[in-house]
Amino acid sequence: MSPLYGAAFLWLVAAILWWSGWREETTEDLPGWAAGLFLAVWPLAWLGKVTITEDISVNGAWVWTLFSAVLAGARMPAARRWTSASGGLLIGSVAILAGRLIFIPSGFEPDGSSWAIAALIGWLAGLLLRSASEQAVAVSVCLIMNEVAHALLRAQADALPAGAPDEGLQAWWIAILCARLWTTFAKAAGEQGRKWAVRSGGRRGGQRS
């Protein structure tokens, strides 16, 4: 499956999850209508292309995704915005290092390495940042940094393989889904841990009395 169709499949997964209950997880900092609008417009943008130069064009969904991430960042207080951006730079540095470590031993990128790195980006975003908006901004900054770094490396080393078209769009969805999964898991684990602590405290109190 090409990265472009992979991104469309992951959008469908995210849309189903959001409408089936994940929207409650994003309303803490993002209006439900905003997330719904993003998901509704995304497939329409996916059908088109935006021409940057005569030789360079990008899928419309990539432009819509980055535009939405910028709007999400603009809604944040300045401190959270810069925290998200700096988190994206940190995650991007780790992703670039991981990509180089995968490439150096064999001289080529193994199958599935791009998915693994995108999942790593998502896990780090979920680990460092809590809200959906913060994670979207961080992942977007990270992937832009990654694309720029790879372009510079390819210009200096012909041996470095060129990335597949629209691979960044697929990586964005992988990372966001992994980040939200980790956040949901951590929240559920914390709530369950507090319940166990309350039950354990109640039992000890009953035994003492």
Side-chain angles (χ1 to χ4, degrees):
M1 182 184 295
S2 71
L4 187 59
Y5 287 100
F9 172 76
L10 293 170
W11 161 82
L12 180 60
V13 172
I16 292 172
L17 289 173
W18 190 81
W19 284 107
S20 64
W22 267 23
R23 60 182 179 275
E24 298 176 0
E25 299 294 332
T26 60
T27 52
E28 57 191 12
D29 74 323
L30 191 65
W33 64 264
L37 180 64
F38 168 72
L39 291 171
V41 174
W42 195 93
L44 301 177
W46 181 85
L47 295 173
K49 280 188 174 295
V50 176
T51 301
I52 299 176
T53 66
E54 293 182 357
D55 301 325
I56 301 175
S57 63
V58 296
N59 187 272
W62 200 202
V63 176
W64 173 245
T65 299
L66 294 180
F67 174 73
S68 301
V70 170
L71 288 182
R75 292 184 66 258
M76 298 180 192
R80 288 179 56 199
R81 185 186 311 125
W82 288 112
T83 298
S84 302
S86 59
L89 293 175
L90 174 61
I91 298 168
S93 300
V94 174
I96 292 171
L97 177 61
R100 293 296 290 167
L101 291 176
I102 291 174
F103 173 76
I104 288 173
S106 59
F108 64 91
E109 292 186 359
D111 293 338
S113 60
S114 60
W115 282 69
I117 292 175
L120 174 65
I121 291 171
W123 176 72
L124 289 174
L127 190 66
L128 298 177
L129 302 162
R130 183 177 62 86
S131 71
S133 295
E134 292 171 341
Q135 292 167 359
V137 171
V139 168
S140 300
V141 170
C142 167
L143 291 177
I144 291 173
M145 176 183 173
N146 213 18
E147 289 294 327
V148 172
H150 280 186
L152 294 175
L153 289 172
R154 283 195 295 270
Q156 298 175 2
D158 296 334
L160 193 66
D166 302 307
E167 191 172 21
L169 187 59
Q170 176 180 259
W172 191 89
W173 279 111
I174 296 171
I176 288 296
L177 287 171
C178 288
R180 298 311 299 164
L181 281 171
W182 175 259
T183 301
T184 302
F185 169 78
K187 182 179 179 180
E191 291 177 352
Q192 188 62 44
R194 285 191 291 272
K195 290 179 181 179
W196 286 343
V198 170
R199 291 176 183 174
S200 177
R203 291 174 181 174
R204 291 177 180 176
Q207 290 176 356
R208 290 177 182 175
S209 60

